[in-house]
Structures are given as C-alpha cells and as structure tokens.
Amino acid sequence: MHPPSRQDYISISVSGQGGGRYNNSKQWRRQSCWRKWKQLSRLQRSLILVLLFICGVVSYPLVTEHLRGLSDGVQDPNSVLRPVSPHVLPEPIQPGQPPLPEQTSQRKLSNKRGPPVFGNRHQKKGNTSDTVVENKAVDSKKEGEEEGVISWRGAVIDTGQATDGTRDGENKENSPATQKGTLSSSIKSASMLEAVQEAFLHSWKGYKDFAWGHDELRPLSKSYSEWFGLGLTLIDALDTMWIMGLKTEFEEAKAWVATELTFNKNVDVNLFESTIRILGGLLSTYHLTGDTLFLDKAKDIGSRLMPAFNTPSKIPYSDVNIGKGIAHPPRWTSDSTVAEVTSIQLEFRELSRLTQEPQYQAAVAEVMKQVHKLDGKLDGLVPMFINTNSGQFTHQGIYTLGARADSYYEYLLKQWIQGGKTEDQLLEDYVQAIEGVKKNLLQKSSPNGLTFVGEISHGQFSPKMDHLVCFLPGTLALGAHNGLPADHMDLAKELMETCYQMYIQMETGLSPEIVHFNMHQGSIRDLDVKLADRHNLLRPETVESLFYLFRFTRDHKYREWGWEILQNFNKYTKVSSGGYTSINNVRDPDYPSPRDKMESFFLGETLKYLYLLFSDDPDLISLDQYVFNTEAHPLPIWPSAA
Ligand code: DMJ
C-alpha cells in the first residue's frame, strides 16, 4: 500500500450550490453596477474614466517594480543548484593602489524557469521575440554626436562618445522604450544565464574528474592532453568562474594555482598562446579579485617569456623554454607569425603598468613600431609571416583576416582603447586596415548577397573565410562604439549575419572551421564547405561578436542567435560523463564524429561570451572600463592622463 497522495485528498468535489450562489451574486453585482453607471450623466462618466486612466498611468511603474521584486526573490528549491549571481566587480585597480578585498556581494537574478523557446534554426530574420519594440527604438537613435569630434583621413572620429550616442549599455537600458518588456526579457536572461552556467559546470566536472591540473580535457577517453603542462584550461577558466559567480569552483582552482602552479619547468611554450591564455588569464583574475597571488604568478610567467624578444630584429621568436630562459623559432624556419607577434601587447603593456617595470611594454611597443613601418602591406593589410632575423615580412602575397593575421587588427584597436585613445598611430593603422578590407576583401555571395571577407592570394581573390574572421563584427562594433565611423557598425551587422548563417546553414547548426562562398550568378547556395574544413573546435569568435553587437544595439535577435548556438553545442558536442568535445563533421547530425578534445578557450572564451551576451547587466565587465584580450580576458582601460 502506498501512502495517500496529495491527489487523493484534492479529488473531493466542493462545487454545487455554494459555487452556484457565488456565481449568481457576482452576476447580480455586475448588473447593479451597470445600472448605476447608466444613470450617470455623460460628463460624470467622462470624468470617472479620465480619473481611472490617470490612476493607471501613475501606478504602472510601482506595480511592475513590485512584480519584478517578487520574481527576483522567489527561489525554486528544486531547481537552483548554484547561484546565478555574478559578483559585483570592483573598479579596475590602479598601480600603487592596494588591491580591493574580495567582493562577496551577490545579486539574485531569478528563480529557474523553463528555457526560453526561440525560433528553430531555420527561422528567418524578422521573426523575433516580444522584445522587438525595444529593438526598433534603439535602432532609431541618431548616430554621430558632435562633441569632441576629430577628423582623421576623412573619417569622423569621436574619441569620447559612442557612435550610437551612448556609453556601453547606458541610456538604452533606461529609455522608456527599453523598459517595455523588461520583466519578460530579464526572466529569459536568467534562464539563459543558468543554461550557460550548467554548460560550464558540466565542462568543469569533466575537467575535474579526468584532467585536473592538465592542459586539456579529452572527454571521450576520460583523459587529458598536455601542450605546455601548465594547467591551461584551469587558468583560462579562472575569470569565467569569477564572472559567473561560481565561488566554490573558483576557490578550488585558486588553491591549485597557489600550491601546484609553477613556471620553473623545462618546457617549451608558444609565446603568443601562453601570453594570451596564461598571462592574460592571471592578469584579469588579479583585476577582478584583487588577489595578489595572481599578480605574482603573472609577473613570474611574464618575466620568463621575455627571452623571446632577444632576436637580431627584436621581432620575438615563437617559442621559449620558460625553465631554461632560452627562446627559439620553430625548427623549420626563423619566421614568426604576424598575428602572434602583434597580439601580445595588451598583456605586456598591462604588466608594465602594474609592476612599474618598463621593459615589458618597451619590448612589445618595439614590435608595433617596426610592423607599422614595414613595406609589403596591401592598403594596411599585413602578410602572415615576419622574419626574426631581418624583421621583414616573408611569404608575401596572402592577405587574410583569418588565421595568422586576425588578431593583428583586433589588437590595433584594442591597444588604442586600452591606452585611453591617445596613441594615434595604432588608430591610423586600424582605420587604414579596415579601409583595406573594404577595398580588397569584401564581397557578396550569391544567391542571397551575404557580405563576407575573403582573402587575396598572390593577386587573386579567394572567397574563403575562416570562422576565425568572425571576431571582426565585434571588433568593428567596438570601434564604432568608441567613435569610429558609423559605417563600421553597418559592416559589423552585415558580417554578423553572415557568421550566423555559417552556423544555421549546417545540418548540426554549428559552423565549420572554413567556408567558401559562391559568387557566380545562378548559385544554388551561398556557401560550400570542403571535406577537410568540416570540423568545429568549439571556437568563440561568433558568440564573441554576438556579445558586442547585443551590448551596443540591445537587439535581442543577437541573443536568440547565441541561444541557438548554445543549444547546438549541447546537442552535438556535449559528452555525458562531463565536458564538451570538438567534432569533425558539422554536416552530419547523425554522426558528427567527436574528436575527443575540449579546447581551453571553450571555458575561457566561448562560455564566457555566451554568459555576458545573456546578462542584462551592462556593468558586468563594462566595455567602457575593460578591454578583452584575444582570449576573452578582460583588462582595464587605463585612466586617461589628465
Ligand atoms: C583563441 O586562442 C583566441 O581567440 C585566438 O585569438 C584565436 N584562436 C583561439 C580561439 O579560436
């Protein structure tokens, strides 16, 4: 015998006479009110209606505020495993200023609801959620405020004001238009944040169970792989955990950093990869937490990487043995990759600022100075290789925004922003490069006219676009937000659409590594994927750009796109025992062919950008206070020299 359930008791019927009486008396009251209303004069009725209307208008904000408060406070004891509550971030710490104590205050967002239902992946543009009203209102804002405008080579650049006339998330958040639907969109936001947290915790479980302290999880074989042997995933994920408010996990990882992480190891590391992931990750975690453990570790790895700059040209070698203090190029060449030597600047500049030791900044500034002066560019576009002996570009003739050149462009803009928009040369090189992209690399596909960024190979245009290029919409939008021409934002939006199409046109809804666009009239589809390019490594670039586009436009379609992508990662790359895996074939939903590797940037970047995309809080890593390095580690924008 099972004990009586709740259902057994509730099945007793209470309807009948009583219920009928209640209904009758309600009906009677309604009729009597109506009679009285009809007896009033027309003037009396109009006055009452006007009074009711005024009461309604006055009480609306109070009621919605009350409802929002209720929603924030309610907790479903069965559903909330972890607080979905990002920490309140301290202000960036200035040199000489003592670190702030660890922030513990948390904001409750909401109780758990079912995941929001967005359109399926074949849903067409324009079919958006109930937040459409606020999107239109934001889009209609006028661009190009006049204050503080400077002119550079014909471009109108406003160094103090966003192209859209606002600071990051400011005004728009509080405008009457965006207040509409705030309640429902914040509920969606809470559910989406929780879904990203779950993805993170699932990844973390795999890493903890099978790869703790190692570089990367191999989720299928329940093992790990080493690249540098420095706990890469753990370090890359530190600030993500902090941002997501995962305190327990963060503390475990911090304990490992304190007791296990040592750089005194006879190991070769790649200068670029260890700078963006390890140095960048430690510096940002120091800024977010104020804990000097991370600054000390950052100084240690930063100083151990410095031998890389001891080359005849001062263009750094690609590899350093951090235990022996000896740097060298790869075995087969004395070349370095252009993107690698020009995408370590944010981190070393910040290290100099924090330590007040100028050698780090001097070394990376010298690289920028030389690259700025070099011949061999095509309208500001750089080749892919540079020689560490001669300091000249080599293997010239290929110009791409993809692999080996991508973050050169990103770091031109971001260094300018980091330094308080004072270093004109960086800005000039960036704006010129974007003009070079427009002139040489931009084309439209057929039949649907998607704007894409191709490549130039020895004078020939190639309609090939790496997924890596999808960082560009976000970078263009960041530039526009910082006063660069409004057409940068237009281009950002067009390219964002293209990057989204690279996902939804695949059978798994996940982008391949590389696509080729069709340009000839009569094409049946816009893009093709070669057999060798069908893999997906859980890369972040598209969701990174979605984050920027959403922050600056508040257009909820970007969130919906990010949500679809997260669903597809869950569907095709999630491994049940823990972790997510790269896959070989985004075109086969029945067998995407898992690769058995979870890259550290999945936790460092992809999930972090998704979390920030879904957060309603524009101050959660404000883009007016922080600049993200190319591994998604936020570093403070320096206070401008007054
Ligand atoms: C990351 O290490 C960085 O984003 C880098 O700039 C490019 N490659 C990966 C992610 O795709």
Side-chain angles (χ1 to χ4, degrees):
M1 270 260 305
H2 67 90
S5 69
R6 211 171 229 243
Q7 196 81 44
D8 296 332
Y9 289 103
I10 290 173
S11 64
I12 299 165
S13 170
V14 290
S15 65
Q17 262 233 274
R21 251 200 323 270
Y22 171 75
N23 285 341
N24 286 342
S25 85
K26 236 171 52 175
Q27 199 177 345
W28 179 86
R29 269 203 307 272
R30 240 184 265 139
Q31 283 168 357
S32 142
C33 283
W34 180 243
R35 258 199 307 276
K36 282 183 185 149
W37 175 254
K38 295 286 275 180
Q39 285 161 4
L40 295 174
S41 71
R42 181 173 286 180
L43 179 67
Q44 285 171 318
R45 276 189 247 157
S46 306
L47 274 173
I48 290 171
L49 286 174
V50 168
L51 275 173
L52 283 173
F53 177 74
I54 292 171
C55 286
V57 168
V58 168
S59 62
Y60 175 76
L62 296 173
V63 171
T64 51
E65 192 55 42
H66 175 67
L67 288 175
R68 201 175 305 138
L70 283 181
S71 148
D72 288 355
V74 178
Q75 292 280 324
D76 175 351
N78 298 322
S79 62
V80 182
L81 298 174
R82 306 272 168 186
V84 189
S85 43
H87 293 255
V88 178
L89 301 172
E91 290 291 305
I93 293 165
Q94 309 307 331
Q97 177 188 333
L100 297 172
E102 197 173 274
Q103 291 280 355
T104 51
S105 63
Q106 298 185 350
R107 278 164 283 173
K108 285 201 176 86
L109 287 178
S110 164
N111 59 322
K112 182 171 179 169
R113 317 263 158 144
V117 182
F118 288 131
N120 67 31
R121 65 193 177 84
H122 300 294
Q123 195 173 6
K124 286 283 167 266
K125 258 176 79 177
N127 185 6
T128 49
S129 66
D130 58 348
T131 51
V132 134
V133 180
E134 68 186 69
N135 304 339
K136 278 191 187 148
V138 171
D139 284 349
S140 70
K141 276 184 188 287
K142 283 280 162 272
E143 296 180 340
E145 298 285 328
E146 288 303 310
E147 193 187 345
V149 172
I150 62 160
S151 175
W152 182 84
R153 289 198 194 162
V156 177
I157 299 164
D158 176 348
T159 53
Q161 190 81 6
T163 302
D164 54 11
T166 65
R167 298 279 172 199
D168 177 19
E170 196 180 79
N171 299 345
K172 289 172 181 169
E173 281 286 89
N174 302 322
S175 74
T178 51
Q179 277 178 3
K180 283 196 177 183
T182 300
L183 182 60
S184 71
S185 65
S186 71
I187 292 167
K188 281 181 188 166
S189 163
S191 301
M192 292 189 285
L193 289 174
E194 224 168 274
V196 187
Q197 248 190 6
E198 274 167 23
F200 183 94
L201 289 170
H202 185 78
S203 310
W204 192 247
K205 175 185 167 1
Y207 179 73
K208 212 175 142 183
D209 289 351
F210 310 122
W212 184 249
H214 298 285
D215 282 344
E216 289 140 347
L217 169 66
R218 299 185 63 209
L220 294 174
S221 52
K222 300 184 180 171
S223 59
Y224 57 84
S225 54
E226 294 293 27
W227 189 4
F228 309 143
L230 296 173
L232 219 48
T233 295
L234 188 150
I235 298 174
D236 234 357
L238 282 168
D239 56 6
T240 306
M241 290 184 273
W242 184 265
I243 289 166
M244 289 185 182
L246 299 172
K247 198 157 173 57
T248 310
E249 290 72 16
F250 177 83
E251 290 300 333
E252 285 168 350
K254 179 181 145 183
W256 184 87
V257 171
T259 57
E260 305 290 327
L261 179 62
T262 170
F263 298 122
N264 189 13
K265 275 187 163 176
N266 179 9
V267 59
D268 276 348
V269 303
N270 174 282
L271 169 69
F272 163 74
E273 298 290 357
S274 51
T275 298
I276 64 171
R277 300 183 198 217
I278 300 174
L279 179 56
L282 292 167
L283 286 174
S284 71
T285 307
Y286 165 64
H287 276 293
L288 298 180
T289 63
D291 190 328
T292 50
L293 164 69
F294 301 106
L295 180 58
D296 292 342
K297 293 288 179 187
K299 283 187 217 163
D300 191 9
I301 184 69
S303 59
R304 287 173 186 275
L305 291 173
M306 286 304 281
F309 296 90
N310 294 333
T311 69
S313 67
K314 299 206 168 68
I315 299 295
Y317 289 133
S318 59
D319 298 279
V320 193
N321 185 306
I322 51 172
K324 293 185 180 163
I326 298 169
H328 59 88
R331 255 188 300 260
W332 58 91
T333 177
S334 54
D335 290 347
S336 286
T337 296
V338 170
E340 292 194 359
V341 301
T342 56
S343 310
I344 49 180
Q345 279 65 15
L346 291 175
E347 299 82 356
F348 279 99
R349 283 157 51 111
E350 180 59 12
L351 188 59
S352 269
R353 193 179 74 98
L354 288 171
T355 59
Q356 299 291 298
E357 292 175 25
Q359 70 271 24
Y360 307 112
Q361 175 154 8
V364 294
E366 173 66 23
V367 179
M368 294 313 295
K369 196 174 119 199
Q370 289 196 37
V371 171
H372 171 75
K373 285 195 289 206
L374 280 183
D375 291 333
K377 292 183 198 153
L378 173 68
D379 300 317
L381 304 176
V382 290
M384 297 156 85
F385 295 99
I386 187 165
N387 189 271
T388 50
N389 293 321
S390 68
Q392 299 296 314
F393 290 132
T394 61
H395 300 96
Q396 298 192 38
I398 299 181
Y399 298 94
T400 174
L401 266 276
R404 298 190 183 276
D406 48 0
S407 42
Y408 161 72
Y409 305 101
E410 180 188 348
Y411 268 39
L412 286 174
L413 178 74
K414 288 183 172 176
Q415 285 178 80
W416 177 69
I417 293 171
Q418 178 192 42
K421 305 185 198 175
T422 57
E423 297 150 290
D424 292 345
Q425 200 167 287
L426 294 164
L427 176 64
E428 288 174 18
D429 286 353
Y430 175 74
V431 177
Q432 192 194 10
I434 298 305
E435 291 306 311
V437 170
K438 288 192 225 163
K439 182 174 163 194
N440 300 286
L441 304 183
L442 222 52
Q443 286 290 349
K444 296 248 187 222
S445 68
S446 178
N448 290 310
L450 296 175
T451 305
F452 70 93
V453 182
E455 298 182 355
I456 295 285
S457 178
H458 305 289
Q460 294 288 309
F461 181 79
S462 161
K464 163 182 178 278
M465 180 164 154
D466 295 354
H467 181 272
L468 287 169
V469 181
C470 290
F471 81 93
L472 189 58
T475 298
L476 286 167
L478 180 65
H481 177 72
N482 280 280
L484 300 196
D487 71 338
H488 286 209
M489 186 53 121
D490 300 337
L491 181 56
K493 289 177 182 171
E494 287 179 36
L495 291 173
M496 192 73 262
E497 169 75 36
T498 304
C499 290
Y500 172 60
Q501 292 295 330
M502 286 163 63
Y503 281 72
I504 57 162
Q505 294 200 13
M506 297 300 111
E507 287 76 355
T508 55
L510 291 173
S511 173
E513 180 74 356
I514 300 170
V515 299
H516 284 78
F517 287 90
N518 290 317
M519 292 170 65
H520 47 274
Q521 283 201 329
S523 301
I524 301 166
R525 55 186 172 271
D526 289 89
L527 53 92
D528 288 320
V529 186
K530 294 187 191 301
L531 271 179
D533 303 334
R534 294 181 166 197
H535 48 291
N536 179 296
L537 306 183
L538 312 171
R539 283 197 193 277
E541 290 76 18
T542 294
V543 295
E544 168 185 355
S545 285
L546 287 172
F547 156 65
Y548 285 102
L549 269 284
F550 179 74
R551 272 278 170 105
F552 298 138
T553 67
R554 310 305 287 186
D555 186 337
H556 281 251
K557 81 178 175 195
Y558 298 123
R559 270 194 179 165
E560 293 169 20
W561 295 356
W563 180 250
E564 281 180 64
I565 291 170
L566 176 61
Q567 300 311 301
N568 293 325
F569 278 135
N570 278 332
K571 199 162 172 190
Y572 296 106
T573 71
K574 190 172 178 177
V575 179
S576 57
S577 51
Y580 287 70
T581 180
S582 306
I583 55 175
N584 278 317
N585 191 355
V586 296
R587 307 226 63 167
D588 187 349
D590 295 327
Y591 187 63
S593 178
R595 275 194 166 184
D596 197 17
K597 182 158 168 171
M598 183 175 78
E599 299 276 352
S600 77
F601 52 68
F602 185 60
L603 300 193
E605 296 193 73
T606 311
L607 294 180
K608 183 189 289 151
Y609 281 128
L610 280 167
Y611 191 84
L612 293 171
L613 167 66
F614 297 148
S615 169
D616 279 335
D617 184 357
D619 292 327
L620 184 60
I621 316 294
S622 161
L623 290 171
D624 293 320
Q625 289 184 348
Y626 290 93
V627 63
F628 285 89
N629 87 340
T630 193
E631 190 75 4
H633 298 303
L635 299 173
I637 294 172
W638 300 345
S640 41

